[in-house]
Amino acid sequence: MIQKTIIIGVTGGSGGGKTSVSQAILANFPDSKIAMIEHDSYYKNQDHLTFEERVKTNYDHPLAFDTDFMIEQIKELIAGRPVDIPIYDYTQHTRSKETYRQEPQDVFIIEGILVMEDERLRDLMDIKIFVDTDDDIRIIRRIKRDMVERGRSLDSIIDQYTTVVKPMYHQFIEPTKRYADVVIPEGVSNVVAIDLINTKVASILQERN
């Protein structure tokens, strides 16, 4: 009998610590078949737009994502079939021509700001986690990340945050907190919450094995 793949959804605002929480879970199961899939990989292809048009994309809106394709690929992985996951090029604001091969695993962590916005995606999840971090901490982390990793200017980051990121957080992301099984204040620094989640995942793995 094939055991069902465990799907853990991890969401919260941009710069809130979703990735750190996801990595803390991954690190706790080094001997298990566990991997993370990022919703960011499924930003829509924008090859048909000019660079100037791409720059104006609202990346914090549900319509920026090809969530249908993500759901399709997750279902393939649950069925035991490998998939080729897209790679997004943040410097060109469109999908790269490259992909990466993802093999089926016992556990998948699905991470992203809007992974709990779509009911179909939520329905695939066994555990739903919302990482709840203050706005001021999130913007500082976002500034550091975008300047170093994505080559953006401070002015452009602040402008995007105040006009798009923060309004979208309150409109689309924060409301998904009500779907969470676990809300983690301050992210990975909340050791008790991380330990509780790891204990739950270990218990599910033990039951299924």
Side-chain angles (χ1 to χ4, degrees):
M1 178 179 175
I2 298 174
Q3 297 294 332
K4 180 182 179 298
T5 304
I6 301 167
I7 305 293
I8 303 170
V10 180
T11 193
S14 177
K18 301 179 302 300
T19 302
S20 296
V21 167
S22 300
Q23 289 173 343
I25 298 170
L26 287 169
N28 195 65
F29 299 97
D31 299 323
S32 299
K33 294 179 64 180
I34 181 170
M36 179 167 67
I37 298 176
E38 297 175 304
H39 202 188
D40 286 10
S41 297
Y42 295 88
Y43 277 127
K44 290 179 178 176
N45 190 31
Q46 301 194 112
D47 282 351
H48 60 290
L49 301 176
T50 66
F51 184 81
E52 290 71 23
E53 290 172 324
R54 296 178 203 166
V55 171
K56 298 176 183 177
T57 299
N58 180 353
Y59 288 101
D60 293 72
H61 194 284
L63 293 177
F65 296 90
D66 189 351
T67 302
D68 289 346
F69 186 38
M70 184 182 202
I71 291 169
E72 177 186 318
Q73 291 206 315
I74 291 172
K75 286 182 176 179
E76 284 292 294
L77 289 165
I78 290 172
R81 294 184 286 270
V83 297
D84 293 317
I85 294 179
I87 296 174
Y88 200 78
D89 186 340
Y90 292 98
T91 61
Q92 297 302 313
H93 300 277
T94 191
R95 221 176 252 181
S96 166
K97 296 188 185 305
E98 299 179 0
T99 60
Y100 73 91
R101 173 57 60 101
Q102 178 61 65
E103 299 292 336
Q105 304 289 318
D106 294 330
V107 182
F108 278 109
I109 298 171
I110 309 300
E111 183 265 348
I113 59 172
L114 288 165
V115 294
M116 293 202 306
E117 191 271 338
D118 191 303
E119 183 180 4
R120 298 169 303 161
L121 200 49
R122 291 197 306 272
D123 287 345
L124 295 175
M125 300 173 184
D126 298 279
I127 302 173
K128 297 181 285 293
I129 300 167
F130 190 98
V131 182
D132 197 12
T133 306
D134 290 342
D135 287 356
D136 55 350
I137 295 174
R138 289 191 292 105
I139 188 173
I140 290 169
R141 289 177 179 168
R142 188 179 176 103
I143 288 169
K144 289 181 177 179
R145 181 199 69 188
D146 285 4
M147 290 183 74
V148 174
E149 297 179 12
R150 301 181 183 177
R152 298 184 55 203
S153 69
L154 177 60
D155 287 345
S156 71
I157 297 167
I158 292 174
D159 180 64
Q160 185 185 36
Y161 185 86
T162 55
T163 60
V164 176
V165 177
K166 188 175 180 180
M168 294 298 98
Y169 173 79
H170 291 292
Q171 183 176 352
F172 293 111
I173 302 166
E174 189 176 41
T176 67
K177 189 191 298 185
R178 68 181 183 270
Y179 302 120
D181 300 307
V182 182
V183 176
I184 306 181
E186 306 307 328
V188 75
S189 61
N190 192 327
V191 178
V192 173
I194 299 297
D195 285 348
L196 287 170
I197 291 165
N198 284 334
T199 299
K200 178 62 177 175
V201 174
S203 173
I204 296 173
L205 283 171
Q206 187 174 16
E207 288 175 8
R208 295 184 178 181
N209 292 330

